[in-house]
Amino acid sequence: AVVSTQSTGNIPQHHDYLTVLRACRLLIEKRCSPDYVIPKGKPMNLSKEEVGVDLGDRTLNEVAKVLRVLHIEELRQLQTRINEAIVSGQMQTADPKTDTSLGQVGR
């Protein structure tokens, strides 16, 4: 079974889940390092966010909230890229020219 990691950033799919977990750990360590540039945005109050499931530990619930917010942000960025690709395709296929000899208006 291949572990799907489509929404984990730069981590490719791999058949060994331990390898995937190690890669996730390295990504998290990199993003939590003091040298990591924090993307600008307005602050968010995580106490208002819901995990969707109780993991039985307050710390795990907080981590799950952060991971969920990060996942949603990645999905938003993906959707933006998809929209840009659609617009680009439409710009190539759209034909704004009108041939008035083909139709009648107002009859």
Side-chain angles (χ1 to χ4, degrees), residues 18-78:
L18 289 176
T19 301
V20 174
L21 288 175
R22 285 186 195 108
C24 288
R25 187 200 69 201
L26 290 173
L27 180 67
I28 291 170
E29 286 175 354
K30 177 184 174 185
R31 290 191 177 177
C32 291
S33 74
D35 299 329
Y36 182 70
V37 177
I38 299 172
K40 293 185 178 179
K42 58 183 178 178
M44 178 176 216
N45 185 356
L46 287 179
S47 64
K48 295 180 182 177
E49 297 296 318
E50 293 186 23
V51 179
V53 65
D54 184 15
L55 300 174
D57 183 3
R58 184 173 168 255
T59 304
L60 286 177
N61 287 340
E62 292 298 314
V63 169
K65 288 178 185 181
V66 170
L67 291 174
R68 183 174 183 198
V69 169
L70 290 173
H71 177 68
I72 290 170
E73 177 60 27
E74 286 180 351
L75 287 176
R76 287 179 181 153
Q77 291 173 1
L78 174 63

Side-chain angles (χ1 to χ4, degrees), residues 76-95:
R76 287 179 181 153
Q77 291 173 1
L78 174 63
Q79 185 64 54
T80 299
R81 289 193 301 268
I82 290 170
N83 291 345
E84 290 169 351
I86 290 171
V87 168
S88 177
Q90 288 174 337
M91 294 296 286
Q92 299 298 320
T93 60
D95 187 10

